[in-house]
């Protein structure tokens, strides 16, 4: 098909033609594109031999769609996968329209009075929640992000229970915000600042939190686990439901409270969780290469099958922690407390165990720092 025909069909909203043009534009990056249009949302899956470059790809896609001026496309979702992988490395959502283009005229609703929070028997009670939701397909996502930012700037801090699914709050400053029980699944929160925020039981499944600052945030019971995107559109694109991992690469969670939080399959490379409370947290199959857990509390946490190559656990409390089949190659566990930890079939090659407390630790089939495999059931000094 000629370029002229492709352009004509693409301007009519043909997703196959749009994908073909994207693939041509991304040839230099070695990336192919597939696309599906559903209810005003163009879903794009990018695949490359290596992970598609987020900045370059998004620039090319946004620029191309802006030039096409397809009236039926309001929102764009982009997923990037490495060939052969099932977990997208990154996901981005952006809008091509404006709030004025898509929303009917309406009067400005009255401002909700700021709730007065109270603490009773150690339990936080926020009062009246602010009612925001972003799970309606036909409304631009920016509408909700802008409304939240507007209210925050006016002094409102309590947004308990809000739904902000897929919103974009890149670089937003929301320190000490209250988002308890909020749904921020698949939200784009890169470099967001939420130091000291109350985020108990909040849902961050599939969210992009790269370089986010969550210093001293209360994330008790929060969900950072992966989620599967289904539906006919996604199935047609990749043949199955797409699992999206929460991305916390290079995020700062210094002294954060993550007790009983779910971080299943989360990306934690180079993140900082120094002095964080991860008591009873679930970190199964996480990718935490070069992550820092200095003096963190991880007792009774589940780190099984996780990747912790080069991670720093200096002085961390890992008592009764589940580390079955965890990969700890080159990890620093000096002065760590591994009292009765389960290290069954864990890989400790080149790990530093200097002055670590391994009393009662289970070392069945464990690969030790010197390369030998131990079959001892329990370690005794």
């Amino acid at each position: 098909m000629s370029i002229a025909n492709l352009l004509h069909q693409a301007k009519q909203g043909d997703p196959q033609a749009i994908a073909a043009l994207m693939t041509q534009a991304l040839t230099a990056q070695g990336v192919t594109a597939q696309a599906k249009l559903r209810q005003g949302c163009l879903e794009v899956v990018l695949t490359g031999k290596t992970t598609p470059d987020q900045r370059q790809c998004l620039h090319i896609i946004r620029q191309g769609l802006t030039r096409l001026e397809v009236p039926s496309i309001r929102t764009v979702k982009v997923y990037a996968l490495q060939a052969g992988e099932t977990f997208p490395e990154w996901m981005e959502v952006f809008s091509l329209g404006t709030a004025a283009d898509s929303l009917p005229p309406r009067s400005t609703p009255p401002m909700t009075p700021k709730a007065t929070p109270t603490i009773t028997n150690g339990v936080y009670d926020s009062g009246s929640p602010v009612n925001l939701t972003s799970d309606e397909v036909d409304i631009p996502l920016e509408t909700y992000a802008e409304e939240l930012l507007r209210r925050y700037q006016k002094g409102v801090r309590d947004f308990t229970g809000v739904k902000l699914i897929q919103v974009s709050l890149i670089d937003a400053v929301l320190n000490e915000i209250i988002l308890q029980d909020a749904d921020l699944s698949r939200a784009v929160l890169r470099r967001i600042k939420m130091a000291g925020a109350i985020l108990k039981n909040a849902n961050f499944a599939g969210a992009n939190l790269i370089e986010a600052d969550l210093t001293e945030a209360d994330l008790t019971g929060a969900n950072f686990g992966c989620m599967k995107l289904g539906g006919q559109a996604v199935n047609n694109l990749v043949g199955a439901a797409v699992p999206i991992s929460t991305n916390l690469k290079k995020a700062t969670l210094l002294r954060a409270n993550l007790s009983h939080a779910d971080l299943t399959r989360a990306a934690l490379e180079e993140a900082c969780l120094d002095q964080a409370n991860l008591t009873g947290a679930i970190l199964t199959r996480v990718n935490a290469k070069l992550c820092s857990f200095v003096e963190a509390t991880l007792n009774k946490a589940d780190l099984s099958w996780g990747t912790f190559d080069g991670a720093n656990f200096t002085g961390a409390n890992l008592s009764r922690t589940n580390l079955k089949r965890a990969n700890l190659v080159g990890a620093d566990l000096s002065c760590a407390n591994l009292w009765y930890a389960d290290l069954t079939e864990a890989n400790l090659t080149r790990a530093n165990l200097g002055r670590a407390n391994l009393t009662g630790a289970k070392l069945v089939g464990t690969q030790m720092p010197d390369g030998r495999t131990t079959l001892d059931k329990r370690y005794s000094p």
Side-chain angles (χ1 to χ4, degrees), residues 86-101:
T86 56
F87 285 82
E89 176 65 22
W90 53 265
M91 184 271 285
E92 184 69 276
V93 181
F94 60 88
S95 176
L96 294 176
T98 64
D101 294 332

Side-chain angles (χ1 to χ4, degrees), residues 18-19 71 81 141-142 205 213 239 279 289 336 368:
I18 293 171
L81 296 89
L141 301 175
E142 282 87 343
D213 184 357
T279 301
K289 293 180 179 178
M368 301 303 286

Side-chain angles (χ1 to χ4, degrees), residues 78-119:
V78 184
Y79 309 95
L81 296 89
Q82 187 173 342
E85 296 291 331
T86 56
F87 285 82
E89 176 65 22
W90 53 265
M91 184 271 285
E92 184 69 276
V93 181
F94 60 88
S95 176
L96 294 176
T98 64
D101 294 332
S102 301
L103 286 173
R106 63 180 181 182
S107 59
T108 303
M111 285 292 295
T112 303
K114 184 177 179 181
T116 302
T118 59
I119 298 177

Side-chain angles (χ1 to χ4, degrees), residues 356-373:
N357 179 8
L358 287 159
T359 301
K362 192 174 182 180
L363 300 170
V364 178
T366 306
Q367 192 165 350
M368 301 303 286
D370 57 6
R372 66 185 176 88
T373 299

